[in-house]
Every structure is written in structure tokens, then in C-alpha cells.
Amino acid sequence: MTVVSPTVVPRMVQKYQSPVRVYKQPFELVMAAYERRFPTCHLIPMFVDSEVLGESVTDDGSVHTVQRRCKLDVDAPRLLKRIAGVDYVYFSQENTLNKRDRTLHIESHNETFSNRVIIHELCCYSAHPDNEDWTCFEQSASLDIKSFFGFESTVEKIAMKQYASSIKKGKEIIEFYLNQLEEEGITQVPRWSPSLDGPSVAVKPVCATPKIPDQDLPAVPALSDPLDADYIKRYLGDLTPLQESCLIRLRQWLQESHKGKIPKDEHILRFLRARDFNMDKARETMCQSLTWRKQHQVDHLLETWTSPRVLSDYYTGGWHHHDKEGRPLYILRLGQMDTKGLVRALGEESLLRHVLSINEEGLRRCEENTKVFGRPISCWTCLVDLEGLNMRHLWRPGVKALLRIIEVVEANYPETLGRLLILRAPRVFPVLWTLVSPFIDENTRKKFLIYAGNDYQGPGGLVDYIDKEIIPDFLGGDCMCDVPEGGLVPKSLYRTAEELENDDIRLWTETIYQSASIFKGAPHEVVIEIIDAASVITWDFDVCKGDVVFHIYHSKRAPQPPARKDPPGGPHGSITTPGGNNVQLIDRSWTLGLDYSMVESPLTCREGESVQGSHVTRWPGFYILQWRFHNMPGSSSTNLPRVDDVLASLQVSSHKCKVMYYTEVIEKECSHSLVISTSAASTELSLS
């Protein structure tokens, strides 16, 4: 007898979140407009009808609850309706109006096909927290598709379309009925009061209520504040409801996982746009970039980086006004640049730091121009003049440095280039383009405009993008440009290969975060000796890849690192672990509760999270900070596996995760002064 297993259909779950939308009318007036949507609304064609199933009012009249059943004619293919056997879809809705708190909570879910599809929607109207005469509206929804006759993707698209339409039409409908009320002379509805008997009634005032003037600029929300729809439109641009939802949800995830240390909304949006608003891909690349920024302290680059004199004299690039769209304009006279001389005099890392500082300055200028021009400006225009480009620019180390710079910029500054104007491209340019174009994102390549010879001077050329009065003099304009003319870097400034290598290493490792590799079954540990029991141990670490468990232990005796062993073939290249600088300190013979004790509950940390915390020490002695793979068997065992026990299994392991951490110890002395000592490392965990 053959047993046929049923086909398992993967469940599709989607969540949506709208920004806060603000009506500049009091809550009670908005509620009067909202009630006019029922029992049906001609502005929503698919809303066929509704009936009240139940209604209740508290004794004091402050809370009014209504249960409704809504009949919808969903815009779905006729074939799908025929297969499903329905013409209409029914939803249950419960409205709870709290007149005392000035809130209306709306919860609805589908009755039709509830065993196959679960649609859950939450809406809330409330008085504005900063202006009691305004009203806020928020909406969220979730879609859980268990199965739907093989049409799961179609149902998902229909639901997304209906959600987007609902968000777009919702505010228009309320504003329509608000205008209708105003035309009828109803401009004020009294607030609920315990002294009023029965429901509040709309009244026509003798004098019209003075309107609150519109604010010129919506406030920029704090990191913990929800995003306002007016703020999004003013500072970030016109987004579809689904794009708004992606932005809000990614921002919320970052707030929860990175404890407030998140980039600005403009930067989050850039990563979403670069990944076509794919939440998972955008989150992955953004977390990698945030870790990179923290490790190399890029957030402070503009304050800490000082360009060497040779860059000031011979790097032929600089900012120059803005283009016709208000985007900051950066000019690079690449054909006049001595790339070989700069690489030989500075090294690859210094050039990279300089380019990163240019990108950071570009972000700052975009923010400034957004305020100046009154519209969202999130990217800049780059003008590259190739006059003078020849074969010497194809010097291999120089091309290698260029490709490295492109790779780093593409990964960490997505969607910052609005347009690239390449002027006076010579015959050698196709060779250079062939080398670098594979390293440039396809969406970025679409922004390139290439002009050969003097083609840029005619119609469709430079004047279409840059005002004539700011075209640089070296391109035939009248504007003086401060960009250095370049020239050959004197060979007296060249440095030896050893000097450049040492300088590159110094710049690359010039960070409070360092590296240490460990493997599954071999947790990484850091020991901190505490003299004063009143000390505080603080930590800040990022889970770059994989999931880990963080422990803190205390011991009265100092743990000893394992003895260093020489590999076969001699003492050179001796190792302590397969990872090179992995450190395990808790001896396998130690017993938990006897030789050492746990002083903090284990903390499971997921990939992409940034964790900060502190521990006030109760006793002097040795505190051990430990990171291990979160689902490792026997993670709380007293017999900790050593490197020798797991080496064989590690040799076939190819999966890795990374934890980057920084610790700080604050010791309180008798004089109440604080002595701060620090240690840091970046831990690489290998998972099998």
C-alpha cells in the first residue's frame, strides 16, 4: 500500500504598517466625519454595505462599542471568484470609541475563507500628543495565507493592492466628509463630559473656530517617534503605501535590535531603494554596513580625518555649487590626476579614507540642500572630466585601488549618486570602462551619461543639468572653480612599499574593534580583573552574522589560557586555536557553581542585533565575558569542550558568523574619580 503525503503549501505571511497621518481638526469633529462612512460609502466602490450586529455604551456614556459586519466586493479576477464560489467577502469589525481618552480603536478581520486566509487590521484615531486640536491616525495589517486553491500569490497581490488603496483613500474620505460638515456649518463638536447626558451633538457655533495655521516644516521625529506622513513627504519624498510600510518596519526593527543607534531615515530609505524595497535584503546589507561604520568609526570621519597635504595639492576633486535639481555637485578632473603618484605617495587606505570623507560630506550637503530647497534631496551629481586620460591611468595598482574604492562605496553608500556626467571621454576610456563597469551596480550604471569630445556643449549636454552661470571655466563656462588642477606628484614624495604597507595596516586597524576567530564548540572569552567591588563593566557588541549566547561569569582565581602548541613542522606559525587568536579561558576541569559562577542570565542575541549593557560588580576577582553559538549542545555544561576535542569537525566547517565587541571597565576609587580602561575585539565564530 502506497501512502501519499499531502502537499505542504508554504504559508505566506505579510505585515504592513502605515505612517502617522495627521488631520488638523479636533478629534470629535473627525469622529463626526468618520461616522458618515456608514452604512455605506460611495467613495469606496468595493464597500457594498454594512450592518450593526451589536452595540453597547458604558453607564457614564464614555465608551461606545459597535460590532459591524461589512460586505465587500473585492477587485479580484472573475475566474478566482468562480473557483472560490463567492461574489462578496465579509469582514467583522469592532469599533471602540473612548470619548474620555479621545481614541477610536478599530479592529477587523475576515469571515470569508478564514480557514485559508487570515487578514487582521488595526486602526487607531487619537488626539495629537502635542496639539489637542489635531487628530492622528495609524493603521497596520497582517496577511497570513495558509492555502488558497493554488492561488496564494494572486491573493497576496490582491490584498497588497487593497491595503494600498485603503491607505490612499482613507484620508481623502475623512477630508471629504470634513468639508461636507463645514459646508453644513458644523465646525465644532463639544468634547465629552460626565455632565452631558447622552451622546455629544454637533452644534453650529456663532463664530467659526479659528483655524490653526499650517506649520512650514513638519518636525523631524526623534528615533523613538513614529514617522509622520507629512514628514515623509517633506523630507523623504513621495512613497507608495507599501514603500512607507517597508521604511517604518525596518526602522522599528533597527530601533529594537540596535537600541536607538540607528542611521537617519534618509539612509535607511537608500538601502531599501537599492534592494527594490526587499526588506530582508535591505536589512542584511544595512546591518553589514552599520557594523563596518562602527568598526572603522566612519560616523566621526569628518571630525577626525585630516587630508594629507599631497591630497590637498594633487587630488583633482571638490564640491562645486549644485545642479538644477538642487543636488550637491562634485567635480572630479580624473584626466588631470596622477593616480600612480598618489598611490605611491599615500597608499590605498589613505585614498579610501579620503573618498569616504567625500561621501560623508555629500550626505551632509544633501541634508542642508533639503532644508534650503524645501524638497527631499537624497543624492548628489558627479561630473567627471576625462580630458588628459591616457594609458598611464591604467597602471595596475592604481586600477586595483580604484576597484577597491568602488566596492566599498557601493556597499555602504547605496543610492547616493543621482547622476554621473562623464565629459570629454578619450579613446582610451572604453578600456577603463571595461575594467571598472562590472564592479558597479546595474542601477548605478543607468545613471551614467557619457559625452565624447565637445558633445557636452550642445543641446542635451551639460546645460540641461547644470545652470550656465556655474559651469566651470575649464569646461567653457564663466564660473571660477576651486578644484585643484592636479599635475604630477613629485617622486620625492613617494614612499617605499614597506612604509606604505605599514601605513595601510595602521589605518585599517586604527579602531577600538579588533578580530579573534573561534569555532563551534570553542567559545570566545575575555577576562577582566576587578579590584574594586563597586566597579561597572560595560559592553557594546554587534552580532554581524549568526546567533550567539552572551554569558558573564565570576571566578575568585585567575583563569589560565591554554598552553601554546607548535604545529607539525616546527615552532614557526604556532597557534593556540584553529582560529589563530581565539581565546578560551575557563578550564574544562572547572565546575560551574564551585570554581566559577554565572552573574548574569544568558542573553540570546540574533544576527544583526547591536547589544549594549552593563554589570555592577559585587565582588573583586575575575569576570569572564563569553560568546558562544546559541544552540550549541550542552551550552551550560560544566565540562566545556576544548579546541583539541573539536578540531576534526571544524576542518569541514564552512559556515561562519561574526561578533564585534567593545568592553569598558569603570573603577570607582576612594577619591570618587573614575579610571577607565578598555579592551576590544572582533570575534569571528565558525558554525557547523
Side-chain angles (χ1 to χ4, degrees):
M1 179 177 178
T2 303
V3 178
V4 180
S5 301
T7 302
V8 178
V9 180
R11 294 179 64 169
M12 306 171 66
V13 182
Q14 291 285 352
K15 293 183 179 180
Y16 311 99
Q17 177 68 55
S18 74
V20 178
R21 282 172 164 77
V22 178
Y23 301 97
K24 297 182 179 180
Q25 286 88 12
F27 174 80
E28 290 72 20
L29 191 62
V30 173
M31 290 299 96
Y34 174 79
E35 285 300 320
R36 296 201 172 197
R37 296 178 54 168
F38 300 101
T40 184
C41 178
H42 72 280
L43 297 173
I44 313 177
M46 74 169 185
F47 188 47
V48 179
D49 196 11
S50 67
E51 60 175 320
V52 176
L53 302 179
E55 191 170 2
S56 64
V57 182
T58 56
D59 293 339
D60 63 357
S62 62
V63 180
H64 184 194
T65 304
V66 180
Q67 288 89 27
R68 289 189 179 90
R69 192 167 187 251
C70 302
K71 182 179 179 181
L72 306 180
D73 183 9
V74 178
D75 182 17
R78 182 172 297 180
L79 175 62
L80 183 58
K81 289 185 176 181
R82 186 173 299 175
I83 293 174
V86 299
D87 290 322
Y88 301 103
V89 174
Y90 291 89
F91 272 75
S92 292
Q93 183 187 86
E94 180 172 292
N95 291 7
T96 303
L97 174 62
N98 190 318
K99 300 176 183 179
R100 184 194 303 272
D101 296 340
R102 305 179 77 201
T103 62
L104 171 65
H105 291 280
I106 307 166
E107 184 172 358
S108 60
H109 63 273
N110 62 305
E111 295 180 0
T112 309
F113 301 119
S114 58
N115 62 328
R116 294 180 177 273
V117 179
I118 300 174
I119 301 174
H120 189 213
E121 187 176 72
L122 297 173
C123 302
C124 178
Y125 289 88
S126 60
H128 195 288
D130 300 322
N131 190 327
E132 61 180 12
D133 292 324
W134 290 358
T135 305
C136 296
F137 173 73
E138 292 183 79
Q139 181 176 359
S140 63
S142 64
L143 171 67
D144 185 353
I145 303 177
K146 301 177 182 177
S147 66
F148 204 86
F149 312 108
F151 289 91
E152 289 79 17
S153 296
T154 303
V155 172
E156 181 186 19
K157 292 177 181 177
I158 293 172
M160 291 170 64
K161 181 179 178 181
Q162 297 296 343
Y163 171 81
S165 175
S166 170
I167 290 291
K168 185 177 180 181
K169 293 290 292 184
K171 188 173 183 180
E172 296 177 7
I173 293 168
I174 292 296
E175 289 175 343
F176 171 83
Y177 288 121
L178 285 170
N179 292 332
Q180 193 179 79
L181 288 169
E182 187 175 7
E183 290 172 1
E184 297 172 9
I186 301 174
T187 57
Q188 184 182 18
V189 175
R191 295 186 186 181
W192 177 87
S193 169
S195 61
L196 293 177
D197 295 324
S200 301
V201 227
V203 297
K204 180 177 180 179
V206 178
C207 301
T209 304
K211 291 187 176 180
I212 301 173
D214 292 346
Q215 295 178 345
D216 293 332
L217 294 175
V220 177
L223 292 178
S224 58
D225 292 342
L227 291 183
D228 180 276
D230 293 335
Y231 159 79
I232 291 177
K233 185 174 183 180
R234 167 62 180 82
Y235 290 99
L236 305 179
D238 290 318
L239 304 178
T240 68
L242 295 178
Q243 290 173 343
E244 290 176 339
S245 177
C246 289
L247 172 63
I248 293 167
R249 289 170 56 212
L250 182 53
R251 188 178 189 264
Q252 289 175 342
W253 182 85
L254 287 167
Q255 288 173 350
E256 295 168 0
S257 63
H258 284 66
K259 307 296 185 276
K261 294 184 177 181
I262 67 173
K264 296 180 179 179
D265 299 317
E266 299 90 336
H267 207 53
I268 299 175
L269 187 57
R270 289 186 182 101
F271 278 88
L272 283 168
R273 282 175 170 152
R275 297 297 177 264
D276 295 322
F277 287 87
N278 182 306
M279 279 276 296
D280 293 334
K281 291 181 180 178
R283 179 171 57 192
E284 180 182 358
T285 54
M286 170 161 280
C287 287
Q288 292 171 355
S289 180
L290 290 177
T291 301
W292 171 83
R293 294 183 68 88
K294 178 183 285 188
Q295 181 177 6
H296 301 292
Q297 303 178 64
V298 179
D299 289 338
H300 309 289
L301 191 61
L302 290 180
E303 295 81 28
T304 59
W305 170 250
T306 302
S307 297
R309 179 63 183 273
V310 66
L311 276 174
S312 304
D313 293 341
Y314 296 99
Y315 189 87
T316 56
W319 294 99
H320 181 76
H321 300 285
H322 54 79
D323 68 5
K324 287 188 173 182
E325 297 178 52
R327 296 167 173 168
L329 175 63
Y330 189 83
I331 294 180
L332 181 64
R333 304 182 68 177
L334 185 59
Q336 304 298 315
M337 186 181 296
D338 181 10
T339 52
K340 179 178 181 179
L342 289 175
V343 172
R344 291 290 302 273
L346 293 169
E348 189 175 306
E349 288 303 322
S350 289
L351 280 175
L352 175 59
R353 289 289 179 100
H354 185 64
V355 173
L356 295 181
S357 70
I358 293 171
N359 280 268
E360 290 296 306
E361 174 66 16
L363 296 178
R364 188 187 65 79
R365 287 175 178 258
C366 284
E367 289 185 26
E368 289 181 352
N369 286 17
T370 294
K371 298 175 183 177
V372 171
F373 292 97
R375 60 178 181 273
I377 296 173
S378 60
C379 52
W380 52 81
T381 292
C382 185
L383 187 156
V384 180
D385 179 22
L386 295 184
E387 185 183 48
L389 189 76
N390 54 44
M391 292 301 295
R392 66 183 173 86
H393 289 91
L394 301 182
W395 180 59
R396 187 168 182 174
V399 173
K400 173 178 171 289
L402 176 61
L403 296 180
R404 164 90 188 291
I405 290 170
I406 291 174
E407 181 183 17
V408 173
V409 171
E410 283 279 299
N412 298 286
Y413 299 92
E415 294 297 312
T416 53
L417 180 65
R419 182 179 293 112
L420 181 67
L421 302 169
I422 299 177
L423 275 54
R424 303 198 279 193
R427 292 182 179 181
V428 74
F429 173 71
V431 180
L432 180 62
W433 179 249
T434 301
L435 293 172
V436 302
S437 60
F439 295 86
I440 302 174
D441 181 77
E442 182 180 355
N443 291 331
T444 303
R445 290 202 300 267
K446 293 176 182 178
K447 302 171 184 178
F448 285 33
L449 295 174
I450 303 173
Y451 300 89
N454 293 320
D455 292 348
Y456 70 93
Q457 295 180 346
L462 202 55
V463 291
D464 285 5
Y465 306 103
I466 301 174
D467 289 327
K468 188 175 181 180
E469 58 268 20
I470 67 167
I471 293 179
D473 51 352
F474 60 84
L475 292 175
D478 298 325
C479 186
M480 295 298 295
C481 184
D482 293 333
V483 176
E485 296 182 1
L488 295 177
V489 177
K491 292 186 177 181
S492 59
L493 298 178
Y494 285 13
R495 302 168 70 192
T496 66
E498 184 179 357
E499 289 174 332
L500 291 175
E501 183 180 359
N502 291 337
D503 197 42
D504 283 353
I505 293 174
R506 179 186 62 79
L507 286 173
W508 184 248
T509 59
E510 199 174 69
T511 171
I512 58 176
Y513 301 95
Q514 300 175 1
S515 293
S517 300
I518 68 173
F519 301 84
K520 182 180 179 181
H524 181 73
E525 296 161 350
V526 171
V527 64
I528 299 173
E529 183 177 6
I530 297 297
I531 306 299
D532 189 340
S535 300
V536 178
I537 301 173
T538 66
W539 55 85
D540 175 3
F541 65 88
D542 290 55
V543 185
C544 309
K545 186 176 181 181
D547 302 337
V548 299
V549 179
F550 178 60
H551 295 266
I552 301 181
Y553 299 103
H554 172 263
S555 173
K556 293 182 179 179
R557 57 173 169 151
Q560 299 296 323
R564 183 177 296 270
K565 297 182 179 180
D566 292 336
H572 299 290
S574 61
I575 59 173
T576 56
T577 72
N581 58 346
N582 168 269
V583 178
Q584 295 175 69
L585 299 166
I586 300 177
D587 193 274
R588 65 184 307 172
S589 65
W590 281 19
T591 301
L592 184 63
L594 181 63
D595 299 288
Y596 67 111
S597 59
M598 187 182 299
V599 294
E600 289 276 355
S601 299
L603 179 65
T604 301
C605 310
R606 303 298 179 184
E607 180 176 324
E609 291 187 348
S610 180
V611 182
Q612 296 82 38
S614 62
H615 174 79
V616 180
T617 60
R618 297 179 60 186
W619 315 281
F622 300 89
Y623 287 79
I624 305 164
L625 278 57
Q626 181 195 81
W627 288 263
R628 67 163 69 235
F629 180 43
H630 85 290
N631 64 354
M632 173 182 165
S635 59
S636 60
S637 171
T638 57
N639 294 324
L640 298 177
R642 303 310 304 174
V643 174
D644 295 339
D645 301 327
V646 297
L647 182 55
S649 63
L650 296 176
Q651 291 175 347
V652 296
S653 173
S654 59
H655 303 287
K656 291 184 178 181
C657 76
K658 188 177 182 180
V659 175
M660 184 177 72
Y661 70 84
Y662 168 78
T663 67
E664 183 174 75
V665 178
I666 303 175
E667 299 175 350
K668 190 175 182 181
E669 297 183 332
C670 297
S671 61
H672 301 287
S673 62
L674 294 179
V675 178
I676 300 177
S677 62
T678 63
S679 66
S682 171
T683 307
E684 196 174 86
L685 302 110
S686 179
L687 311 181
S688 58

